[in-house]
């Protein structure tokens, strides 16, 4: 009040004051102390901040695939010092004016996009809003510094459905990967089994070859040490010996089943005959 009575007016930094004389615009006062003789009809009509301001606008609209969404836009703007009179006099409510332009652009742009495209093209929506605001607000002495689309919020049910679709796709991918892994495992198991059987066959063939070599060597040694014996006599004795060794192993096994075999003085000869006949029949069938 004291400053007003002394006709001195202080204007703070980052703001300007609009001076009038008898209700008519006269000048824009910069930051500092100014002399305003009220008794001569001079007065301060109002003050205008030059600081950067932000307006958050929430706009409800729908996409091309008929999904209603809330688009949240943040508009950063400031008044131009050189056009402070236009910014002060030409608009009664700057924020409402900016909000109206944002609504108009968003509701004209988003309905052309599907929901997924709207999320991907947030920057294009922001550029469209900024271009329209810059063209409209520059005539009123305001500069649009930055326009951001900070969020696109569909309905909660739509969010849940989108998450379920994403989860189903991931489960399907996981199932495919699991099936592929099982397929590889079965192939590797089959290859291992084939290799194992091949090696087992080689082992059996080598074992049989060693048995044949051992029998041949036994026949030769026995023939040299016991004159008059034939190869048939020696083979009969070797076969009978192996037969009784087998019976011994069966009886020594802890979990062996009962085996009934004929026993008597002639049983040994019968066993030798049966073994020899079996070997001969096998050799004939192979030949």
């Amino acid at each position: 009040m004291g400053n007003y009575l002394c006709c001195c007016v202080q204007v703070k930094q980052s703001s300007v004051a609009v001076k009038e004389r008898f209700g008519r615009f006269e000048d824009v006062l910069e930051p500092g102390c100014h002399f305003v003789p009220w008794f001569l009809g001079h007065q301060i009509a109002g003050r205008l901040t030059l600081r950067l301001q932000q307006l958050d606008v929430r706009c409800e609209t729908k996409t091309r695939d008929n999904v209603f969404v809330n688009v949240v836009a943040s508009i950063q703007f400031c008044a131009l010092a050189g056009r402070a009179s236009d910014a002060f006099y030409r608009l009664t409510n700057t924020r409402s004016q900016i909000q109206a332009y944002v609504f108009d652009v968003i509701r004209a742009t988003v309905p052309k996009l599907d929901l997924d495209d709207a999320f991907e093209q947030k920057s294009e929506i922001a550029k469209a809003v900024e271009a329209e605001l810059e063209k409209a607000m520059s005539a009123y002495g305001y500069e649009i510094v930055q326009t951001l689309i900070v969020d696109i919020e569909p309905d909660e049910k739509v969010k849940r459905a989108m998450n379920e679709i994403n989860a189903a796709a991931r489960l399907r991918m996981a199932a495919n990967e699991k099936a592929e892994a099982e397929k590889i495992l079965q192939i590797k198991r089959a290859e291992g089994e084939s290799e194992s059987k091949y090696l087992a066959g080689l082992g059996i063939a080598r074992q049989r070859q060693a048995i044949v070599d051992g029998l041949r060597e036994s026949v030769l040694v026995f023939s040299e040490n016991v004159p008059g014996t034939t190869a048939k006599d020696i083979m009969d004795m070797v076969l009978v010996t192996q037969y009784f060794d087998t019976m011994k192993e069966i009886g020594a096994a802890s979990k062996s089943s009962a085996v009934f075999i004929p026993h008597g003085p002639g049983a040994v000869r019968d066993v030798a005959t049966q073994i020899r006949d079996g070997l001969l029949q096998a050799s004939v069938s192979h030949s």
Side-chain angles (χ1 to χ4, degrees), residues 214-272:
L215 290 175
R216 182 173 61 251
E217 184 177 354
S218 298
V219 169
L220 293 176
V221 172
F222 199 88
S223 299
E224 293 176 357
N225 295 330
V226 182
T229 58
T230 63
K232 176 180 177 300
D233 297 333
I234 298 172
M235 286 298 300
D236 289 343
M237 184 183 68
V238 170
L239 291 174
V240 171
T241 302
Q242 288 185 344
Y243 173 77
F244 281 112
D245 289 340
T246 303
M247 291 298 101
K248 180 180 178 181
E249 292 179 359
I250 293 175
S254 59
K255 295 183 180 180
S256 60
S257 303
V259 179
F260 295 95
I261 58 175
H263 184 68
V268 174
R269 184 172 181 178
D270 293 338
V271 169

Side-chain angles (χ1 to χ4, degrees), residues 54-60 70-76 98-99 101-103 105-106 122 125-126 129-130 133 146-152:
Q54 177 167 312
L55 173 63
D56 294 329
V57 181
R58 178 181 291 269
C59 175
E60 184 180 19
N70 285 313
V71 180
V72 182
S74 291
I75 314 300
Q76 298 175 355
I98 292 176
Q99 181 173 304
Y101 279 109
V102 172
F103 279 1
V105 176
I106 289 179
K122 289 171 58 177
I125 299 174
V129 174
E130 183 175 350
L133 284 176
Q146 184 74 30
T147 300
L148 302 173
I149 301 298
V150 297
D151 199 6
I152 298 178

Side-chain angles (χ1 to χ4, degrees), residues 37-268:
W38 57 269
F39 52 85
L40 296 178
H42 296 274
Q43 65 175 354
I44 299 299
R47 300 172 187 270
L48 184 68
T49 180
L50 301 180
R51 294 180 179 179
L52 183 67
Q53 303 178 66
Q54 177 167 312
L55 173 63
D56 294 329
V57 181
R58 178 181 291 269
C59 175
E60 184 180 19
T61 184
K62 81 170 185 175
T63 60
R64 186 169 58 182
D65 47 354
N66 296 322
V67 178
F68 282 89
V69 294
N70 285 313
V71 180
V72 182
S74 291
I75 314 300
Q76 298 175 355
F77 64 98
C78 64
L80 297 173
R83 303 187 59 187
S85 61
D86 290 335
F88 183 80
Y89 285 106
R90 299 191 64 181
L91 289 179
T92 57
N93 193 328
T94 305
R95 290 178 172 267
S96 296
Q97 187 77 11
I98 292 176
Q99 181 173 304
Y101 279 109
V102 172
F103 279 1
D104 181 67
V105 176
I106 289 179
R107 287 174 177 170
T109 305
V110 175
K112 299 178 182 178
L113 305 172
D114 292 333
L115 180 60
D116 293 339
D117 296 334
F119 279 101
E120 294 176 359
Q121 300 183 23
K122 289 171 58 177
S123 58
E124 283 74 11
I125 299 174
K127 290 178 181 178
V129 174
E130 183 175 350
E132 185 66 24
L133 284 176
E134 184 67 31
K135 181 174 63 176
M137 298 305 295
S138 61
Y140 301 109
Y142 282 93
E143 178 187 5
I144 304 301
V145 179
Q146 184 74 30
T147 300
L148 302 173
I149 301 298
V150 297
D151 199 6
I152 298 178
E153 300 177 354
D155 185 77
E156 190 63 32
K157 293 181 180 179
V158 177
K159 288 183 181 179
R160 192 179 303 114
M162 292 174 66
N163 291 334
E164 289 177 357
I165 292 173
N166 190 19
R170 292 182 180 277
L171 288 175
R172 183 168 60 251
M173 186 182 301
N176 291 335
E177 293 294 333
K178 183 178 180 181
E180 190 67 23
E182 291 179 353
K183 175 183 175 182
I184 295 175
L185 185 62
Q186 291 178 359
I187 292 175
K188 293 299 182 181
R189 187 183 296 114
E191 291 177 354
E193 186 176 355
S194 175
E195 185 69 17
S196 175
K197 289 181 178 180
Y198 173 74
L199 295 177
L202 289 179
I204 293 173
R206 291 173 180 174
Q207 180 185 16
R208 290 175 178 174
Q209 183 64 38
I211 292 173
V212 171
D213 294 341
L215 290 175
R216 182 173 61 251
E217 184 177 354
S218 298
V219 169
L220 293 176
V221 172
F222 199 88
S223 299
E224 293 176 357
N225 295 330
V226 182
T229 58
T230 63
K232 176 180 177 300
D233 297 333
I234 298 172
M235 286 298 300
D236 289 343
M237 184 183 68
V238 170
L239 291 174
V240 171
T241 302
Q242 288 185 344
Y243 173 77
F244 281 112
D245 289 340
T246 303
M247 291 298 101
K248 180 180 178 181
E249 292 179 359
I250 293 175
S254 59
K255 295 183 180 180
S256 60
S257 303
V259 179
F260 295 95
I261 58 175
H263 184 68
V268 174

